[in-house]
Amino acid sequence: MAGIGKALVVGGGIMGLCSARALRRAGWAVEVLEQDTCPNPRGSSVDHHRLIRHAYGAERVYMRMVDRAHRAWDSLFAAIGETPYIPTGTLMLADARDSWLAASRATLGPAGHRMEEIPPATLTARFPMLDPAGLAEVAFLPTGGVLLAERIVAGLARHLEASGVTLRRARVEAVDPARGQARLADGTVAGADLLVLAAGPWTARLLPELAPRATPSRQIVVFLEPPATHRAAWEAGPMVLDLSPSGGFYAVPPVAGTPLKIGDHRFSLRGDPDDPREASPAEAEEILALARPRLRDAGGYRVLGARACYYEVAPEERIALARPGERCLALCGTSGHGFKFGPVLGDALAAAAATPEHLPVLAAWVAGQAEPPPDLLPPAADPDGGPSCRLPPPVPGDKAPEQVTKTGAWPTP
């Protein structure tokens, strides 16, 4: 596997496409197999938004990995010719002192990230769309923002095709990791020197031995239109993370013409990734019930839609870089937080393909357990020119960066 040859990537989501890009840059001939169109509307990577933020609880390695991720996104954005990213900052809420927020504070401070402590009683004066009732702590981190996921996947797919990567629409029914082969729905077999499995929630079906690291999890998100009195506050507002283990929520502000989105950070650990993506009224109501106590004038929010997204969840949410066979590498268990690391994980996989003896060290890093030696990965330097993914958050009244154009509004049901 150390030699450069043909690589066959199963899955055209962010993990598969970033792996394809890294392998192509390393000299591999690359073909991507995706069961639907790319972007795949059923894929875990395809939604308006994904978040990137330094706040990571007690996970120091992942917190530090975010810096490399920002630089890797800068490089990718320079390659695709646009910057589908909106800086927002990160607002963290906690209903207890012993919380994810407190753990984040303990890791962020020594790394030089300054959090602004906000007395809960003053929250509404600063963020008028939020209700502080029951909060024990509030903190704001100026870094963090929204990755416009669907646009990123679409732009990356176009870039890869222009770079000589083959994107092939084909459903994979089975894989042979020892031979580097994939059996397709039409009965044909595709083979390569290296098989990369980046199939998201379909991973366990294709390779049952990876099931403990890739449990499908049906996650519901609800799209909202804020009442007129709070629309401007939300449009200029930060991402909101209320990660209470008893049932908090996250909120993605309505940036670049997208809707306000809310979801549950906890995992359902149930469902089949081939299920329909429409959410039932009961599923949507469950998410709304989490957010209503925190939203001022909650009755004025209009539901624009709700849908399901499928993640593949690993124990302790630790991303896995595995070698299930002589000619196979797998990226799985991204657990809903992998998108932000997509370009970095692609680089790690390409490094493991080039030097298999380094796989254990790379796998420990990807799992958030240990830092890799500094010379093990290609430098994640800022590209020459182009906007940076690490722009400071906008101030109220600022327009979105010129590189990000508004998309159409979310369709009403």
Side-chain angles (χ1 to χ4, degrees), residues 294-333:
R294 193 60 57 219
L295 301 179
R296 292 186 66 220
D297 305 313
Y301 285 76
R302 186 165 71 95
V303 177
L304 301 177
R307 72 185 299 267
C309 175
Y310 272 83
Y311 296 154
E312 18 91 47
V313 179
E316 298 182 335
E317 301 179 43
R318 301 207 175 275
I319 302 168
L321 173 61
R323 186 183 181 186
E326 183 64 27
R327 291 192 173 188
C328 181
L329 288 171
L331 264 176
C332 60

PDB file of all heavy atoms in Angstrom, residues 294-333:
ATOM      1  N   ARG A 294     -35.505  28.437  25.985  1.00  0.00           N
ATOM      2  CA  ARG A 294     -34.377  29.348  25.842  1.00  0.00           C
ATOM      3  C   ARG A 294     -34.671  30.484  24.867  1.00  0.00           C
ATOM      4  O   ARG A 294     -33.945  31.473  24.812  1.00  0.00           O
ATOM      5  CB  ARG A 294     -33.146  28.561  25.372  1.00  0.00           C
ATOM      6  CG  ARG A 294     -31.827  29.285  25.474  1.00  0.00           C
ATOM      7  CD  ARG A 294     -31.487  29.689  26.878  1.00  0.00           C
ATOM      8  NE  ARG A 294     -31.445  28.570  27.806  1.00  0.00           N
ATOM      9  CZ  ARG A 294     -31.881  28.602  29.042  1.00  0.00           C
ATOM     10  NH1 ARG A 294     -32.440  29.706  29.520  1.00  0.00           N
ATOM     11  NH2 ARG A 294     -31.800  27.540  29.827  1.00  0.00           N
ATOM     12  N   LEU A 295     -35.757  30.385  24.084  1.00  0.00           N
ATOM     13  CA  LEU A 295     -36.080  31.393  23.068  1.00  0.00           C
ATOM     14  C   LEU A 295     -37.090  32.381  23.618  1.00  0.00           C
ATOM     15  O   LEU A 295     -38.190  32.000  24.045  1.00  0.00           O
ATOM     16  CB  LEU A 295     -36.656  30.718  21.821  1.00  0.00           C
ATOM     17  CG  LEU A 295     -35.769  29.681  21.111  1.00  0.00           C
ATOM     18  CD1 LEU A 295     -36.505  29.094  19.917  1.00  0.00           C
ATOM     19  CD2 LEU A 295     -34.450  30.303  20.683  1.00  0.00           C
ATOM     20  N   ARG A 296     -36.764  33.639  23.585  1.00  0.00           N
ATOM     21  CA  ARG A 296     -37.754  34.663  23.952  1.00  0.00           C
ATOM     22  C   ARG A 296     -38.791  34.769  22.845  1.00  0.00           C
ATOM     23  O   ARG A 296     -38.487  34.630  21.656  1.00  0.00           O
ATOM     24  CB  ARG A 296     -37.068  36.008  24.149  1.00  0.00           C
ATOM     25  CG  ARG A 296     -36.153  36.053  25.377  1.00  0.00           C
ATOM     26  CD  ARG A 296     -35.618  37.455  25.613  1.00  0.00           C
ATOM     27  NE  ARG A 296     -36.692  38.381  25.973  1.00  0.00           N
ATOM     28  CZ  ARG A 296     -36.786  39.628  25.539  1.00  0.00           C
ATOM     29  NH1 ARG A 296     -35.885  40.110  24.689  1.00  0.00           N
ATOM     30  NH2 ARG A 296     -37.778  40.410  25.919  1.00  0.00           N
ATOM     31  N   ASP A 297     -40.035  34.981  23.233  1.00  0.00           N
ATOM     32  CA  ASP A 297     -41.144  35.062  22.277  1.00  0.00           C
ATOM     33  C   ASP A 297     -41.186  33.810  21.399  1.00  0.00           C
ATOM     34  O   ASP A 297     -41.345  33.875  20.175  1.00  0.00           O
ATOM     35  CB  ASP A 297     -41.019  36.310  21.397  1.00  0.00           C
ATOM     36  CG  ASP A 297     -40.905  37.580  22.222  1.00  0.00           C
ATOM     37  OD1 ASP A 297     -41.701  37.740  23.158  1.00  0.00           O
ATOM     38  OD2 ASP A 297     -40.007  38.399  21.936  1.00  0.00           O
ATOM     39  N   ALA A 298     -41.035  32.650  22.049  1.00  0.00           N
ATOM     40  CA  ALA A 298     -40.930  31.388  21.318  1.00  0.00           C
ATOM     41  C   ALA A 298     -42.134  31.140  20.415  1.00  0.00           C
ATOM     42  O   ALA A 298     -42.003  30.522  19.350  1.00  0.00           O
ATOM     43  CB  ALA A 298     -40.764  30.224  22.296  1.00  0.00           C
ATOM     44  N   GLY A 299     -43.322  31.629  20.802  1.00  0.00           N
ATOM     45  CA  GLY A 299     -44.503  31.410  19.992  1.00  0.00           C
ATOM     46  C   GLY A 299     -44.482  32.138  18.670  1.00  0.00           C
ATOM     47  O   GLY A 299     -45.280  31.828  17.772  1.00  0.00           O
ATOM     48  N   GLY A 300     -43.570  33.088  18.491  1.00  0.00           N
ATOM     49  CA  GLY A 300     -43.507  33.848  17.252  1.00  0.00           C
ATOM     50  C   GLY A 300     -42.624  33.240  16.183  1.00  0.00           C
ATOM     51  O   GLY A 300     -42.541  33.776  15.070  1.00  0.00           O
ATOM     52  N   TYR A 301     -41.972  32.114  16.497  1.00  0.00           N
ATOM     53  CA  TYR A 301     -41.103  31.465  15.506  1.00  0.00           C
ATOM     54  C   TYR A 301     -41.944  30.607  14.557  1.00  0.00           C
ATOM     55  O   TYR A 301     -42.814  29.848  15.001  1.00  0.00           O
ATOM     56  CB  TYR A 301     -40.055  30.588  16.190  1.00  0.00           C
ATOM     57  CG  TYR A 301     -38.941  31.379  16.833  1.00  0.00           C
ATOM     58  CD1 TYR A 301     -39.152  32.050  18.041  1.00  0.00           C
ATOM     59  CD2 TYR A 301     -37.690  31.473  16.238  1.00  0.00           C
ATOM     60  CE1 TYR A 301     -38.133  32.788  18.643  1.00  0.00           C
ATOM     61  CE2 TYR A 301     -36.670  32.204  16.827  1.00  0.00           C
ATOM     62  CZ  TYR A 301     -36.899  32.864  18.018  1.00  0.00           C
ATOM     63  OH  TYR A 301     -35.899  33.592  18.607  1.00  0.00           O
ATOM     64  N   ARG A 302     -41.672  30.716  13.271  1.00  0.00           N
ATOM     65  CA  ARG A 302     -42.410  29.930  12.274  1.00  0.00           C
ATOM     66  C   ARG A 302     -41.552  28.758  11.821  1.00  0.00           C
ATOM     67  O   ARG A 302     -40.386  28.928  11.441  1.00  0.00           O
ATOM     68  CB  ARG A 302     -42.770  30.797  11.067  1.00  0.00           C
ATOM     69  CG  ARG A 302     -43.658  30.094  10.047  1.00  0.00           C
ATOM     70  CD  ARG A 302     -44.263  31.097   9.078  1.00  0.00           C
ATOM     71  NE  ARG A 302     -43.287  31.641   8.164  1.00  0.00           N
ATOM     72  CZ  ARG A 302     -43.058  31.149   6.930  1.00  0.00           C
ATOM     73  NH1 ARG A 302     -43.733  30.114   6.500  1.00  0.00           N
ATOM     74  NH2 ARG A 302     -42.160  31.718   6.145  1.00  0.00           N
ATOM     75  N   VAL A 303     -42.121  27.564  11.872  1.00  0.00           N
ATOM     76  CA  VAL A 303     -41.410  26.361  11.428  1.00  0.00           C
ATOM     77  C   VAL A 303     -41.413  26.320   9.903  1.00  0.00           C
ATOM     78  O   VAL A 303     -42.467  26.302   9.268  1.00  0.00           O
ATOM     79  CB  VAL A 303     -42.053  25.092  12.006  1.00  0.00           C
ATOM     80  CG1 VAL A 303     -41.342  23.850  11.458  1.00  0.00           C
ATOM     81  CG2 VAL A 303     -41.994  25.106  13.537  1.00  0.00           C
ATOM     82  N   LEU A 304     -40.235  26.306   9.314  1.00  0.00           N
ATOM     83  CA  LEU A 304     -40.095  26.239   7.859  1.00  0.00           C
ATOM     84  C   LEU A 304     -39.978  24.812   7.349  1.00  0.00           C
ATOM     85  O   LEU A 304     -40.297  24.530   6.196  1.00  0.00           O
ATOM     86  CB  LEU A 304     -38.861  27.035   7.412  1.00  0.00           C
ATOM     87  CG  LEU A 304     -38.844  28.522   7.780  1.00  0.00           C
ATOM     88  CD1 LEU A 304     -37.533  29.155   7.327  1.00  0.00           C
ATOM     89  CD2 LEU A 304     -40.026  29.237   7.152  1.00  0.00           C
ATOM     90  N   GLY A 305     -39.509  23.933   8.185  1.00  0.00           N
ATOM     91  CA  GLY A 305     -39.344  22.544   7.783  1.00  0.00           C
ATOM     92  C   GLY A 305     -38.529  21.794   8.810  1.00  0.00           C
ATOM     93  O   GLY A 305     -37.964  22.371   9.741  1.00  0.00           O
ATOM     94  N   ALA A 306     -38.474  20.490   8.645  1.00  0.00           N
ATOM     95  CA  ALA A 306     -37.673  19.626   9.515  1.00  0.00           C
ATOM     96  C   ALA A 306     -37.245  18.412   8.705  1.00  0.00           C
ATOM     97  O   ALA A 306     -37.976  17.954   7.827  1.00  0.00           O
ATOM     98  CB  ALA A 306     -38.476  19.193  10.742  1.00  0.00           C
ATOM     99  N   ARG A 307     -36.057  17.925   8.987  1.00  0.00           N
ATOM    100  CA  ARG A 307     -35.569  16.753   8.260  1.00  0.00           C
ATOM    101  C   ARG A 307     -34.651  15.937   9.148  1.00  0.00           C
ATOM    102  O   ARG A 307     -34.186  16.406  10.192  1.00  0.00           O
ATOM    103  CB  ARG A 307     -34.843  17.155   6.972  1.00  0.00           C
ATOM    104  CG  ARG A 307     -33.494  17.794   7.182  1.00  0.00           C
ATOM    105  CD  ARG A 307     -32.867  18.277   5.872  1.00  0.00           C
ATOM    106  NE  ARG A 307     -32.643  17.195   4.932  1.00  0.00           N
ATOM    107  CZ  ARG A 307     -31.496  16.516   4.838  1.00  0.00           C
ATOM    108  NH1 ARG A 307     -30.483  16.785   5.654  1.00  0.00           N
ATOM    109  NH2 ARG A 307     -31.352  15.576   3.948  1.00  0.00           N
ATOM    110  N   ALA A 308     -34.407  14.724   8.696  1.00  0.00           N
ATOM    111  CA  ALA A 308     -33.495  13.830   9.405  1.00  0.00           C
ATOM    112  C   ALA A 308     -32.148  13.815   8.704  1.00  0.00           C
ATOM    113  O   ALA A 308     -32.059  13.901   7.480  1.00  0.00           O
ATOM    114  CB  ALA A 308     -34.076  12.420   9.466  1.00  0.00           C
ATOM    115  N   CYS A 309     -31.111  13.715   9.496  1.00  0.00           N
ATOM    116  CA  CYS A 309     -29.759  13.502   9.001  1.00  0.00           C
ATOM    117  C   CYS A 309     -29.209  12.285   9.740  1.00  0.00           C
ATOM    118  O   CYS A 309     -29.512  12.094  10.923  1.00  0.00           O
ATOM    119  CB  CYS A 309     -28.895  14.727   9.278  1.00  0.00           C
ATOM    120  SG  CYS A 309     -27.160  14.534   8.831  1.00  0.00           S
ATOM    121  N   TYR A 310     -28.453  11.448   9.053  1.00  0.00           N
ATOM    122  CA  TYR A 310     -27.894  10.258   9.697  1.00  0.00           C
ATOM    123  C   TYR A 310     -26.395  10.430   9.928  1.00  0.00           C
ATOM    124  O   TYR A 310     -25.643  10.685   8.993  1.00  0.00           O
ATOM    125  CB  TYR A 310     -28.158   9.008   8.855  1.00  0.00           C
ATOM    126  CG  TYR A 310     -29.485   8.375   9.177  1.00  0.00           C
ATOM    127  CD1 TYR A 310     -30.653   8.853   8.604  1.00  0.00           C
ATOM    128  CD2 TYR A 310     -29.582   7.343  10.090  1.00  0.00           C
ATOM    129  CE1 TYR A 310     -31.886   8.300   8.916  1.00  0.00           C
ATOM    130  CE2 TYR A 310     -30.813   6.783  10.417  1.00  0.00           C
ATOM    131  CZ  TYR A 310     -31.954   7.261   9.820  1.00  0.00           C
ATOM    132  OH  TYR A 310     -33.173   6.718  10.149  1.00  0.00           O
ATOM    133  N   TYR A 311     -25.986  10.297  11.181  1.00  0.00           N
ATOM    134  CA  TYR A 311     -24.576  10.251  11.524  1.00  0.00           C
ATOM    135  C   TYR A 311     -24.172   8.796  11.745  1.00  0.00           C
ATOM    136  O   TYR A 311     -25.027   7.906  11.878  1.00  0.00           O
ATOM    137  CB  TYR A 311     -24.306  11.028  12.818  1.00  0.00           C
ATOM    138  CG  TYR A 311     -24.585  12.505  12.762  1.00  0.00           C
ATOM    139  CD1 TYR A 311     -24.900  13.217  13.927  1.00  0.00           C
ATOM    140  CD2 TYR A 311     -24.527  13.217  11.568  1.00  0.00           C
ATOM    141  CE1 TYR A 311     -25.137  14.581  13.898  1.00  0.00           C
ATOM    142  CE2 TYR A 311     -24.767  14.578  11.528  1.00  0.00           C
ATOM    143  CZ  TYR A 311     -25.075  15.257  12.691  1.00  0.00           C
ATOM    144  OH  TYR A 311     -25.314  16.599  12.668  1.00  0.00           O
ATOM    145  N   GLU A 312     -22.857   8.563  11.808  1.00  0.00           N
ATOM    146  CA  GLU A 312     -22.365   7.253  12.254  1.00  0.00           C
ATOM    147  C   GLU A 312     -21.512   7.519  13.477  1.00  0.00           C
ATOM    148  O   GLU A 312     -20.524   8.241  13.425  1.00  0.00           O
ATOM    149  CB  GLU A 312     -21.589   6.504  11.161  1.00  0.00           C
ATOM    150  CG  GLU A 312     -21.099   7.330  10.002  1.00  0.00           C
ATOM    151  CD  GLU A 312     -19.692   7.882  10.214  1.00  0.00           C
ATOM    152  OE1 GLU A 312     -18.820   7.113  10.621  1.00  0.00           O
ATOM    153  OE2 GLU A 312     -19.493   9.073   9.987  1.00  0.00           O
ATOM    154  N   VAL A 313     -21.944   6.966  14.597  1.00  0.00           N
ATOM    155  CA  VAL A 313     -21.435   7.354  15.904  1.00  0.00           C
ATOM    156  C   VAL A 313     -20.491   6.290  16.454  1.00  0.00           C
ATOM    157  O   VAL A 313     -20.777   5.090  16.395  1.00  0.00           O
ATOM    158  CB  VAL A 313     -22.597   7.601  16.881  1.00  0.00           C
ATOM    159  CG1 VAL A 313     -22.076   7.991  18.259  1.00  0.00           C
ATOM    160  CG2 VAL A 313     -23.524   8.684  16.336  1.00  0.00           C
ATOM    161  N   ALA A 314     -19.383   6.755  17.003  1.00  0.00           N
ATOM    162  CA  ALA A 314     -18.400   5.873  17.623  1.00  0.00           C
ATOM    163  C   ALA A 314     -18.422   6.052  19.129  1.00  0.00           C
ATOM    164  O   ALA A 314     -18.863   7.088  19.635  1.00  0.00           O
ATOM    165  CB  ALA A 314     -17.001   6.192  17.079  1.00  0.00           C
ATOM    166  N   PRO A 315     -17.945   5.061  19.878  1.00  0.00           N
ATOM    167  CA  PRO A 315     -17.869   5.224  21.335  1.00  0.00           C
ATOM    168  C   PRO A 315     -17.066   6.466  21.700  1.00  0.00           C
ATOM    169  O   PRO A 315     -16.004   6.737  21.119  1.00  0.00           O
ATOM    170  CB  PRO A 315     -17.156   3.938  21.789  1.00  0.00           C
ATOM    171  CG  PRO A 315     -17.499   2.933  20.735  1.00  0.00           C
ATOM    172  CD  PRO A 315     -17.541   3.710  19.451  1.00  0.00           C
ATOM    173  N   GLU A 316     -17.575   7.237  22.642  1.00  0.00           N
ATOM    174  CA  GLU A 316     -16.953   8.471  23.117  1.00  0.00           C
ATOM    175  C   GLU A 316     -16.757   9.484  21.990  1.00  0.00           C
ATOM    176  O   GLU A 316     -15.972  10.412  22.119  1.00  0.00           O
ATOM    177  CB  GLU A 316     -15.614   8.188  23.804  1.00  0.00           C
ATOM    178  CG  GLU A 316     -15.737   7.310  25.032  1.00  0.00           C
ATOM    179  CD  GLU A 316     -14.394   7.080  25.710  1.00  0.00           C
ATOM    180  OE1 GLU A 316     -13.349   7.167  25.030  1.00  0.00           O
ATOM    181  OE2 GLU A 316     -14.392   6.820  26.916  1.00  0.00           O
ATOM    182  N   GLU A 317     -17.467   9.304  20.893  1.00  0.00           N
ATOM    183  CA  GLU A 317     -17.399  10.206  19.740  1.00  0.00           C
ATOM    184  C   GLU A 317     -15.983  10.348  19.201  1.00  0.00           C
ATOM    185  O   GLU A 317     -15.572  11.414  18.718  1.00  0.00           O
ATOM    186  CB  GLU A 317     -17.975  11.577  20.100  1.00  0.00           C
ATOM    187  CG  GLU A 317     -19.424  11.521  20.567  1.00  0.00           C
ATOM    188  CD  GLU A 317     -19.960  12.889  20.927  1.00  0.00           C
ATOM    189  OE1 GLU A 317     -19.700  13.857  20.187  1.00  0.00           O
ATOM    190  OE2 GLU A 317     -20.632  12.985  21.975  1.00  0.00           O
ATOM    191  N   ARG A 318     -15.230   9.263  19.221  1.00  0.00           N
ATOM    192  CA  ARG A 318     -13.846   9.294  18.745  1.00  0.00           C
ATOM    193  C   ARG A 318     -13.778   8.821  17.298  1.00  0.00           C
ATOM    194  O   ARG A 318     -14.134   7.696  16.977  1.00  0.00           O
ATOM    195  CB  ARG A 318     -12.943   8.444  19.640  1.00  0.00           C
ATOM    196  CG  ARG A 318     -12.971   8.931  21.079  1.00  0.00           C
ATOM    197  CD  ARG A 318     -11.707   8.610  21.843  1.00  0.00           C
ATOM    198  NE  ARG A 318     -11.771   9.211  23.183  1.00  0.00           N
ATOM    199  CZ  ARG A 318     -11.430  10.460  23.454  1.00  0.00           C
ATOM    200  NH1 ARG A 318     -10.975  11.244  22.490  1.00  0.00           N
ATOM    201  NH2 ARG A 318     -11.520  10.927  24.686  1.00  0.00           N
ATOM    202  N   ILE A 319     -13.325   9.717  16.446  1.00  0.00           N
ATOM    203  CA  ILE A 319     -13.227   9.424  15.019  1.00  0.00           C
ATOM    204  C   ILE A 319     -12.208   8.306  14.808  1.00  0.00           C
ATOM    205  O   ILE A 319     -11.168   8.255  15.479  1.00  0.00           O
ATOM    206  CB  ILE A 319     -12.826  10.685  14.244  1.00  0.00           C
ATOM    207  CG1 ILE A 319     -13.849  11.797  14.496  1.00  0.00           C
ATOM    208  CG2 ILE A 319     -12.697  10.406  12.753  1.00  0.00           C
ATOM    209  CD1 ILE A 319     -13.402  13.169  14.021  1.00  0.00           C
ATOM    210  N   ALA A 320     -12.506   7.407  13.878  1.00  0.00           N
ATOM    211  CA  ALA A 320     -11.657   6.243  13.660  1.00  0.00           C
ATOM    212  C   ALA A 320     -11.002   6.293  12.285  1.00  0.00           C
ATOM    213  O   ALA A 320     -11.665   6.507  11.270  1.00  0.00           O
ATOM    214  CB  ALA A 320     -12.473   4.955  13.800  1.00  0.00           C
ATOM    215  N   LEU A 321      -9.696   6.098  12.265  1.00  0.00           N
ATOM    216  CA  LEU A 321      -8.934   5.828  11.048  1.00  0.00           C
ATOM    217  C   LEU A 321      -8.414   4.411  11.206  1.00  0.00           C
ATOM    218  O   LEU A 321      -7.571   4.145  12.068  1.00  0.00           O
ATOM    219  CB  LEU A 321      -7.789   6.825  10.887  1.00  0.00           C
ATOM    220  CG  LEU A 321      -6.807   6.572   9.736  1.00  0.00           C
ATOM    221  CD1 LEU A 321      -7.512   6.602   8.392  1.00  0.00           C
ATOM    222  CD2 LEU A 321      -5.672   7.598   9.758  1.00  0.00           C
ATOM    223  N   ALA A 322      -8.946   3.491  10.406  1.00  0.00           N
ATOM    224  CA  ALA A 322      -8.668   2.066  10.605  1.00  0.00           C
ATOM    225  C   ALA A 322      -8.171   1.437   9.314  1.00  0.00           C
ATOM    226  O   ALA A 322      -8.409   1.949   8.213  1.00  0.00           O
ATOM    227  CB  ALA A 322      -9.930   1.348  11.086  1.00  0.00           C
ATOM    228  N   ARG A 323      -7.512   0.302   9.479  1.00  0.00           N
ATOM    229  CA  ARG A 323      -7.056  -0.493   8.337  1.00  0.00           C
ATOM    230  C   ARG A 323      -7.683  -1.885   8.448  1.00  0.00           C
ATOM    231  O   ARG A 323      -7.091  -2.812   8.991  1.00  0.00           O
ATOM    232  CB  ARG A 323      -5.534  -0.585   8.339  1.00  0.00           C
ATOM    233  CG  ARG A 323      -4.963  -1.269   7.101  1.00  0.00           C
ATOM    234  CD  ARG A 323      -3.448  -1.380   7.211  1.00  0.00           C
ATOM    235  NE  ARG A 323      -2.872  -2.012   6.040  1.00  0.00           N
ATOM    236  CZ  ARG A 323      -1.587  -2.329   5.930  1.00  0.00           C
ATOM    237  NH1 ARG A 323      -0.754  -2.085   6.937  1.00  0.00           N
ATOM    238  NH2 ARG A 323      -1.130  -2.893   4.828  1.00  0.00           N
ATOM    239  N   PRO A 324      -8.895  -2.048   7.924  1.00  0.00           N
ATOM    240  CA  PRO A 324      -9.579  -3.325   8.070  1.00  0.00           C
ATOM    241  C   PRO A 324      -9.075  -4.419   7.141  1.00  0.00           C
ATOM    242  O   PRO A 324      -9.515  -5.560   7.248  1.00  0.00           O
ATOM    243  CB  PRO A 324     -11.036  -2.973   7.755  1.00  0.00           C
ATOM    244  CG  PRO A 324     -10.949  -1.780   6.874  1.00  0.00           C
ATOM    245  CD  PRO A 324      -9.746  -1.016   7.311  1.00  0.00           C
ATOM    246  N   GLY A 325      -8.186  -4.098   6.239  1.00  0.00           N
ATOM    247  CA  GLY A 325      -7.637  -5.084   5.325  1.00  0.00           C
ATOM    248  C   GLY A 325      -6.359  -4.584   4.700  1.00  0.00           C
ATOM    249  O   GLY A 325      -6.017  -3.396   4.791  1.00  0.00           O
ATOM    250  N   GLU A 326      -5.632  -5.482   4.049  1.00  0.00           N
ATOM    251  CA  GLU A 326      -4.321  -5.145   3.497  1.00  0.00           C
ATOM    252  C   GLU A 326      -4.382  -3.972   2.534  1.00  0.00           C
ATOM    253  O   GLU A 326      -3.470  -3.151   2.474  1.00  0.00           O
ATOM    254  CB  GLU A 326      -3.728  -6.374   2.797  1.00  0.00           C
ATOM    255  CG  GLU A 326      -2.335  -6.171   2.236  1.00  0.00           C
ATOM    256  CD  GLU A 326      -1.287  -5.885   3.315  1.00  0.00           C
ATOM    257  OE1 GLU A 326      -1.482  -6.330   4.457  1.00  0.00           O
ATOM    258  OE2 GLU A 326      -0.287  -5.213   2.985  1.00  0.00           O
ATOM    259  N   ARG A 327      -5.482  -3.888   1.776  1.00  0.00           N
ATOM    260  CA  ARG A 327      -5.594  -2.829   0.764  1.00  0.00           C
ATOM    261  C   ARG A 327      -6.724  -1.859   1.071  1.00  0.00           C
ATOM    262  O   ARG A 327      -7.330  -1.305   0.165  1.00  0.00           O
ATOM    263  CB  ARG A 327      -5.815  -3.451  -0.616  1.00  0.00           C
ATOM    264  CG  ARG A 327      -4.605  -4.207  -1.157  1.00  0.00           C
ATOM    265  CD  ARG A 327      -4.794  -4.532  -2.620  1.00  0.00           C
ATOM    266  NE  ARG A 327      -3.604  -5.105  -3.209  1.00  0.00           N
ATOM    267  CZ  ARG A 327      -3.431  -5.337  -4.507  1.00  0.00           C
ATOM    268  NH1 ARG A 327      -4.406  -5.011  -5.352  1.00  0.00           N
ATOM    269  NH2 ARG A 327      -2.323  -5.869  -4.958  1.00  0.00           N
ATOM    270  N   CYS A 328      -6.982  -1.642   2.327  1.00  0.00           N
ATOM    271  CA  CYS A 328      -8.136  -0.816   2.676  1.00  0.00           C
ATOM    272  C   CYS A 328      -7.832   0.086   3.864  1.00  0.00           C
ATOM    273  O   CYS A 328      -7.195  -0.335   4.832  1.00  0.00           O
ATOM    274  CB  CYS A 328      -9.337  -1.707   3.005  1.00  0.00           C
ATOM    275  SG  CYS A 328     -10.849  -0.826   3.422  1.00  0.00           S
ATOM    276  N   LEU A 329      -8.280   1.335   3.771  1.00  0.00           N
ATOM    277  CA  LEU A 329      -8.302   2.258   4.902  1.00  0.00           C
ATOM    278  C   LEU A 329      -9.734   2.757   5.062  1.00  0.00           C
ATOM    279  O   LEU A 329     -10.443   2.926   4.066  1.00  0.00           O
ATOM    280  CB  LEU A 329      -7.363   3.438   4.682  1.00  0.00           C
ATOM    281  CG  LEU A 329      -5.861   3.155   4.768  1.00  0.00           C
ATOM    282  CD1 LEU A 329      -5.069   4.375   4.318  1.00  0.00           C
ATOM    283  CD2 LEU A 329      -5.453   2.759   6.187  1.00  0.00           C
ATOM    284  N   ALA A 330     -10.152   2.991   6.286  1.00  0.00           N
ATOM    285  CA  ALA A 330     -11.514   3.443   6.549  1.00  0.00           C
ATOM    286  C   ALA A 330     -11.492   4.660   7.468  1.00  0.00           C
ATOM    287  O   ALA A 330     -10.700   4.715   8.418  1.00  0.00           O
ATOM    288  CB  ALA A 330     -12.348   2.324   7.187  1.00  0.00           C
ATOM    289  N   LEU A 331     -12.351   5.627   7.173  1.00  0.00           N
ATOM    290  CA  LEU A 331     -12.617   6.765   8.045  1.00  0.00           C
ATOM    291  C   LEU A 331     -14.063   6.652   8.505  1.00  0.00           C
ATOM    292  O   LEU A 331     -14.979   6.662   7.683  1.00  0.00           O
ATOM    293  CB  LEU A 331     -12.438   8.086   7.296  1.00  0.00           C
ATOM    294  CG  LEU A 331     -11.106   8.816   7.422  1.00  0.00           C
ATOM    295  CD1 LEU A 331     -11.096  10.049   6.528  1.00  0.00           C
ATOM    296  CD2 LEU A 331     -10.809   9.205   8.864  1.00  0.00           C
ATOM    297  N   CYS A 332     -14.283   6.529   9.797  1.00  0.00           N
ATOM    298  CA  CYS A 332     -15.660   6.366  10.274  1.00  0.00           C
ATOM    299  C   CYS A 332     -15.780   6.905  11.694  1.00  0.00           C
ATOM    300  O   CYS A 332     -14.807   7.337  12.300  1.00  0.00           O
ATOM    301  CB  CYS A 332     -16.089   4.897  10.205  1.00  0.00           C
ATOM    302  SG  CYS A 332     -15.092   3.766  11.196  1.00  0.00           S
ATOM    303  N   GLY A 333     -17.006   6.870  12.199  1.00  0.00           N
ATOM    304  CA  GLY A 333     -17.251   7.334  13.553  1.00  0.00           C
ATOM    305  C   GLY A 333     -17.098   8.831  13.710  1.00  0.00           C
ATOM    306  O   GLY A 333     -16.739   9.320  14.781  1.00  0.00           O
TER     307      GLY A 333
END
